[in-house]
Amino acid sequence: MADDQGRRAHTGRRRNEEAARAILRAARELLERGDGAGVSVDAIAAAAGVGKQTIYRWWPSKSDLLLDALVEGARGLAPAPDEGDLGSDLAAFLTATFRGARDPAVAAALRQVAAEAQRDPRAAGLLRSFTEDRRRVLRGLLERAAARGELSPAADLDLLVDQAYGVLWYRLLIGHAPLTEAAAAALAAALARQATASP
Amino acid sequence: MADDQGRRAHTGRRRNEEAARAILRAARELLERGDGAGVSVDAIAAAAGVGKQTIYRWWPSKSDLLLDALVEGARGLAPAPDEGDLGSDLAAFLTATFRGARDPAVAAALRQVAAEAQRDPRAAGLLRSFTEDRRRVLRGLLERAAARGELSPAADLDLLVDQAYGVLWYRLLIGHAPLTEAAAAALAAALARQATASP
DNA sequence: TTTTGTCGGAACTAATCGTCTCGACAATCG
DNA sequence: CGATTGTCGAGACGATTAGTTCCGACAAAA
């Protein structure tokens, strides 16, 4: 567990990783229990039995903390399948992605970070790199299908990625429809039909 | 300009509609000038030369005011074309919609209302009815094409609407790509291909 | 002229993020 | 061992903001 110790001389008390873990755990629990309302840093500190200063010693801002809680909650959902067929790969990936975003803590963190990104350029940058990572995974899946000759030459990979994640974010932030597995499967089928259709 | 006067007995000073117009105008100007940061009610009141009380006499919350400024800014973009061809109707509608959302004041209002909707259920409801209206317009366009037999029986109209507005909101809120006319045209072509492709 | 409700202006409450201070404590160095 | 250094929990503090309330002035109707 102690792998990133600095190599320079270091005197004084060491940071307590247990405190950081307690903070992350409290953040996830509050995000999960939060009834649509935002989670405050004070509430996280109180729930973790920790001073606010300790939070800001580990994370530079609330958005960083929420994004960390997010990444931890979404762990294992990253890899894109590669079974050699666009339709099934896309269905598997979107189903897993929708399922991850349906987790209450993950959904709340995504929504709160997205909300803060509209005001705070720092949060906007964080969210942007997070989404870029996810885009790259899906784009890789599509590129493999294109290399196999499964896609129409008219297919626009970036637009396909926008359509997939667009539906996810749109439903997540507006809330007019749920992120069900059926919706993921239908979206995968629709995108595969579009990508393979001749212009 | 005085068309919605109450019919009941009314004593006392009348509300000054000029003040309401000044407030809306100030809100739009601040949204346009705002550098990504949010617009505060105090700033709007000061810019309009108006007391905050006057703002809250006309609008129950900041979100209502922003949504009003939004609707006023997006006026005239509502109607869906009906030229009898799915491809050109979709391209015209999405181009006009993207152009409307590219207006700085409209974009800022959309982003700020969306951000507040993640915390405030009242703002969420407002945003939901706004988006429902827009969804209905696009859905009507698709239904007319379906009635003309232009769509594959496998086409899912609501999913198509989700994809169109999904790309719009995703780009608007994440900011990884602009809402250009070229993007609108490409999206329209892609959705038309998807909707007409046989399963 | 009196009553009634809006006007601009400003003080006020409450929530929130992030900074700073405090005494206590732990780890390292001399 | 003892001094130094940096983290700990706890909380005060400044800044910002949404929304409420009070104030004296004013306008429109009774």
Side-chain angles (χ1 to χ4, degrees):
Chain A
M1 298 298 179
D3 50 4
D4 57 356
Q5 307 279 29
R7 240 163 279 306
R8 62 188 170 79
H10 181 297
T11 63
R13 185 178 185 170
R14 301 292 176 74
R15 285 192 185 176
N16 181 5
E17 295 203 15
E18 194 57 47
R21 276 191 292 270
I23 291 165
L24 267 181
R25 198 183 322 130
R28 276 201 309 270
E29 283 174 8
L30 288 178
L31 283 167
E32 210 167 321
R33 277 157 187 64
D35 316 305
V39 176
S40 72
V41 176
D42 291 271
I44 295 173
V50 145
K52 279 206 300 178
Q53 180 64 258
T54 302
I55 292 182
Y56 284 101
R57 205 172 278 119
W58 286 86
W59 292 274
S61 80
K62 182 189 173 185
S63 299
D64 293 76
L65 169 57
L66 291 181
L67 215 53
D68 250 26
L70 180 68
V71 168
E72 185 147 321
R75 180 179 302 167
L77 296 174
D82 188 4
E83 299 175 4
D85 173 66
L86 173 64
S88 56
D89 280 0
L90 209 47
F93 179 76
L94 290 184
T95 300
T97 300
F98 273 36
R99 183 169 51 238
R102 214 169 40 230
D103 177 292
V106 170
L110 284 170
R111 293 175 58 198
Q112 193 158 348
V113 172
E116 270 162 32
Q118 306 312 312
R119 314 254 186 153
D120 177 14
R122 164 173 191 75
L126 285 173
L127 180 58
R128 188 94 141 254
S129 9
F130 176 78
T131 55
E132 271 309 325
D133 271 358
R134 310 305 306 158
R135 290 178 65 82
R136 256 192 295 275
V137 176
L138 177 53
R139 215 195 126 91
L141 187 156
L142 295 174
E143 279 168 354
R144 286 193 294 276
R148 292 191 302 262
E150 288 193 71
L151 269 53
S152 153
D156 181 338
L157 299 196
D158 277 320
L159 184 56
L160 285 164
V161 173
D162 272 359
Q163 288 173 253
Y165 280 116
V167 171
L168 172 67
W169 280 99
Y170 181 45
R171 291 199 174 191
L172 184 67
L173 296 175
I174 308 291
H176 62 289
L179 295 171
T180 58
E181 315 234 335
L187 178 59
L191 291 180
R193 214 180 318 139
Q194 172 187 318
T196 56
S198 50
Chain B
M1 297 299 178
D3 49 4
D4 57 356
Q5 308 278 30
R7 240 163 280 305
R8 63 189 169 78
H10 181 296
T11 63
R13 186 177 185 171
R14 302 290 175 76
R15 284 194 185 176
N16 181 5
E17 294 203 16
E18 196 57 48
R21 276 191 292 269
I23 291 165
L24 267 180
R25 198 181 323 129
R28 277 202 309 270
E29 282 174 8
L30 289 178
L31 282 167
E32 210 167 322
R33 278 156 186 65
D35 316 305
V39 175
S40 71
V41 177
D42 290 272
I44 295 172
V50 145
K52 279 206 302 178
Q53 177 65 256
T54 303
I55 292 183
Y56 283 102
R57 222 186 309 274
W58 286 85
W59 292 275
S61 80
K62 182 189 173 185
S63 299
D64 293 75
L65 168 58
L66 291 182
L67 216 53
D68 250 25
L70 181 67
V71 168
E72 185 147 320
R75 180 179 302 165
L77 295 174
D82 188 4
E83 299 175 4
D85 173 66
L86 172 64
S88 56
D89 280 0
L90 208 47
F93 179 76
L94 290 185
T95 300
T97 299
F98 273 36
R99 184 169 49 239
R102 213 168 42 230
D103 177 292
V106 170
L110 284 170
R111 293 176 58 199
Q112 194 158 347
V113 172
E116 269 161 34
Q118 306 312 312
R119 314 253 185 155
D120 177 14
R122 163 174 191 76
L126 285 173
L127 180 58
R128 188 94 142 253
S129 8
F130 175 79
T131 54
E132 271 309 325
D133 271 356
R134 309 307 305 161
R135 291 178 64 82
R136 257 191 295 275
V137 175
L138 177 53
R139 214 194 126 93
L141 188 155
L142 294 174
E143 280 169 353
R144 286 192 294 276
R148 292 191 302 263
E150 288 194 71
L151 269 53
S152 152
D156 180 338
L157 300 196
D158 277 319
L159 187 56
L160 285 165
V161 173
D162 271 359
Q163 289 176 82
Y165 281 115
V167 171
L168 172 67
W169 280 100
Y170 181 45
R171 291 199 173 191
L172 184 67
L173 296 176
I174 307 290
H176 63 290
L179 296 170
T180 58
E181 315 234 333
L187 177 59
L191 291 179
R193 212 179 319 139
Q194 176 189 127
T196 56
S198 49

